[in-house]
Amino acid sequence: MFENFLTHASFLYTTTNLAVAQAAGTSTVPWWIWPLALLVTTFLIGIVAALAGVGGSVLFVPIVSSFFPFNFDFIRGSGLFVALACSLSAAPKLLKLNLASLRLVIPLALIASTSSIVGAYLGLSLPQSILKILLGILITGISVLFMFSKNSEFPKIGEPDALVRYLKIGGSYYEPSTGKDITWSIWRLPAGLILFSGIGIIAGMFGIGAGWANVPVLNMLLGAPLKIAIGTSMSLLAITDTSAAWIYLNQGAVLPIITIPSVIGIMAGSRVGVKLLKTAKPKSIRYIVILMLLFAGLKSLLDGLGWG
Amino acid sequence: MSSQPQTYIHSVPTKSFVRKQNDVLTNVEVSPEQNRYASILLVCSWAGIVVMLITFLIYMGGLFNPLVKPSDMPLYWGLSVHQYLAVTHAPSGWNWLSSVNHSDYLNLVGLAFLGIVSVLGYISLFIDYLRKKDLPYVIMVAVEILVIVSAASGVFHIA
């Protein structure tokens, strides 16, 4: 059943993008086709993103900039709102289940949201060809990261550093699969804060949510259990992306006709994706996402170099 | 540096048993400030999304005299933001509020509301941490509010 769905989804996705690419070259296309195509495309992105456990905007920005006629400025502005809306709808449940820790979110969010303002400035100031080249390199790098990264469910950590002890970061959550409580803490917080400043800049610059970077840093560097890393990352995005989203909104780089169908499409798609998770094969979905990212990353790189 | 693992798994067999153990319950219990913050996010984000959806349907229906009709958008959405502002004379910063009677700018109400949801949650956290006299978190939360409000105020302007 799931294979059938996947085949249909892939077919629909390819057909949509083909139609969109063809339509981009003709001026006779009715204007409403574009928001509708965007809604369908983002709905499919939402399904795939939820099945693969990645944020929607990391797929949204490269794919929409590859296949839609919208300017890159508006796509990045929309990407931030997509990430923000997804985060705001997922974070409350994670926080209430103690799968995200505010004591960990607050210091990291402060660094990341401040640096995302710098990123937004860079994004709105740099030439688009440079941005597309950088985005291409970044997205290709993320696909390679997905190929080789191995997160650890319960990483072993050393003695928590002085800053972690001072801020009393740590907690417990109930793990239903084992029927046990997991008590956790972290270490290497100062190094994590430095990395989060870089993550914030990238998020603001390219309008992509930063879950792809947050989770490995929280899990592999800081030593948070995987579930806490995912929950904390999702809660962080609501704050990190807010600052950058305001810069884009104030600069006029948010067009509702692009942003609103994208937000609605991805949110609806991710809800369907979560329901399909029961029958999904995460590995095959992961490969599809890696291929999509590789394709979108290389296309962005070629566009930026003027070879697209 | 010690390499002693710090992620512990308690040998508690079932959730129902956990519920009976007050000390364990305290461990896994969500802090009141985190619970309140999550509730604010939940209610406000859905409110923002509903407002966004309604205003978008109004805009797509061509109601409330949009300054740039949806059908004209293909002429502009390929322009860079700087070109778009120059060609359409679109307001920047908070000046869009003066055009909120036009449906294209009415759309921004829901989006702007999504942008202040985190601030509303942080204000509640600020009060909670202040009550608990948790100084490091009072300071961090206050600075975060300042950062977001500064970004939202439009003081950071790109020429």
Side-chain angles (χ1 to χ4, degrees):
Chain A
M1 179 205 157
F2 178 69
E3 279 77 6
N4 272 345
F5 167 77
L6 204 61
T7 312
H8 285 108
S10 305
F11 175 73
L12 190 59
Y13 180 80
T14 314
T15 318
T16 306
N17 278 334
L18 195 66
V20 163
Q22 283 173 346
T26 56
S27 56
T28 52
V29 175
W31 65 271
W32 50 267
I33 287 287
W34 294 109
L36 189 63
L38 189 61
L39 185 73
V40 173
T41 305
T42 50
F43 178 73
L44 295 174
I45 289 174
I47 293 175
V48 174
L51 289 174
V54 298
S57 58
V58 74
L59 293 170
F60 171 83
V61 173
I63 288 173
V64 173
S65 65
S66 294
F67 298 107
F68 283 77
F70 313 135
N71 191 278
F72 198 34
D73 287 342
F74 301 123
I75 294 171
R76 296 195 318 276
S78 298
L80 283 167
F81 274 94
V82 163
L84 176 61
C86 289
S87 168
L88 284 172
S89 63
K93 193 169 185 184
L94 295 164
L95 286 161
K96 281 178 182 265
L97 288 171
N98 236 5
L99 292 175
S101 163
L102 269 184
R103 295 195 79 80
L104 179 53
V105 166
I106 289 168
L108 297 176
L110 180 57
I111 297 291
S113 65
T114 308
S115 55
S116 76
I117 295 176
V118 178
Y121 265 82
L122 287 171
L124 288 165
S125 308
L126 285 172
Q128 294 205 355
S129 56
I130 303 283
L131 281 175
K132 285 202 167 183
I133 292 170
L134 293 175
L135 179 72
I137 294 168
L138 178 71
I139 296 294
T140 310
I142 292 171
S143 65
V144 173
L145 179 77
F146 280 177
M147 266 186 254
F148 297 108
S149 71
K150 284 188 171 58
N151 291 324
S152 167
E153 201 166 348
F154 304 111
K156 290 194 170 184
I157 66 167
E159 194 71 30
D161 53 80
L163 190 56
V164 170
R165 290 198 304 273
Y166 178 65
L167 295 175
K168 296 175 192 143
I169 295 173
S172 301
Y173 68 96
Y174 175 71
E175 175 55 62
S177 64
T178 57
K180 293 172 182 171
D181 286 347
I182 310 291
T183 301
W184 61 272
S185 186
I186 57 158
W187 66 331
R188 300 169 177 156
L189 184 57
L193 289 171
I194 293 168
L195 283 184
F196 268 91
S197 64
I199 292 171
I201 290 176
I202 291 170
M205 198 165 163
F206 298 109
I208 53 177
W212 57 271
N214 288 347
V215 174
V217 171
L218 283 162
N219 181 241
M220 292 191 284
L221 179 78
L222 300 184
L226 189 56
K227 281 193 175 176
I228 295 293
I230 293 170
T232 301
S233 164
M234 199 48 115
S235 308
L236 257 169
L237 292 178
I239 306 150
T240 310
D241 292 337
T242 295
S243 311
W246 272 114
I247 301 292
Y248 278 81
L249 190 64
N250 280 329
Q251 294 299 314
V254 176
L255 286 185
I257 202 166
I258 301 172
T259 307
I260 297 178
S262 306
V263 168
I264 292 164
I266 288 216
M267 287 186 76
S270 57
R271 282 179 183 272
V272 173
V274 167
K275 285 192 178 163
L276 288 172
L277 265 177
K278 289 173 198 160
T279 49
K281 288 179 183 166
K283 261 197 172 172
S284 53
I285 299 293
R286 200 171 166 84
Y287 289 135
I288 291 172
V289 168
I290 288 170
L291 282 175
M292 283 165 72
L293 285 173
L294 258 180
F295 176 72
L298 290 173
K299 187 159 188 325
S300 180
L301 186 61
L302 293 174
D303 283 350
L305 291 167
W307 301 340
Chain B
M1 187 178 283
S2 162
S3 61
Q4 195 184 356
Q6 293 290 314
T7 301
Y8 305 107
I9 303 175
H10 292 302
S11 297
V12 181
T14 62
K15 195 174 182 179
S16 58
F17 185 76
V18 173
R19 297 273 175 229
K20 290 174 191 166
Q21 303 297 306
N22 281 342
D23 54 335
V24 177
L25 187 64
T26 307
N27 273 342
V28 295
E29 208 172 52
V30 181
S31 66
E33 65 269 16
Q34 181 159 322
N35 222 348
R36 202 166 6 255
Y37 174 77
S39 300
I40 291 171
L41 252 54
L42 182 69
V43 173
C44 295
S45 60
W46 279 110
I49 286 162
V50 169
V51 171
M52 199 177 72
L53 189 60
I54 294 168
T55 54
F56 186 64
L57 291 175
I58 290 172
Y59 176 52
M60 293 302 272
L63 305 172
F64 287 108
N65 188 28
L67 290 176
V68 181
K69 290 179 192 161
S71 55
D72 291 337
M73 283 310 294
L75 299 171
Y76 304 113
W77 60 34
L79 303 175
S80 74
V81 63
H82 306 296
Q83 292 167 330
Y84 175 80
L85 294 177
V87 171
T88 62
H89 306 290
S92 60
W94 282 90
N95 292 333
W96 60 267
L97 271 178
S98 59
S99 306
V100 85
N101 53 332
H102 300 281
S103 57
D104 38 353
Y105 291 99
L106 183 66
N107 268 315
L108 296 180
V109 172
L111 290 168
F113 188 71
L114 283 183
I116 60 162
V117 170
S118 297
V119 178
L120 298 176
Y122 262 59
I123 289 170
S124 112
L125 284 179
F126 179 78
I127 295 165
D128 285 330
Y129 286 131
L130 201 61
R131 277 191 192 136
K132 287 170 84 173
K133 295 184 178 134
D134 192 340
L135 192 62
Y137 279 85
V138 169
I139 295 169
M140 283 190 286
V141 167
V143 175
E144 182 69 73
I145 293 171
L146 281 177
V147 167
I148 298 176
V149 168
S150 306
S153 70
V155 293
F156 302 118
H157 189 74
I158 299 167

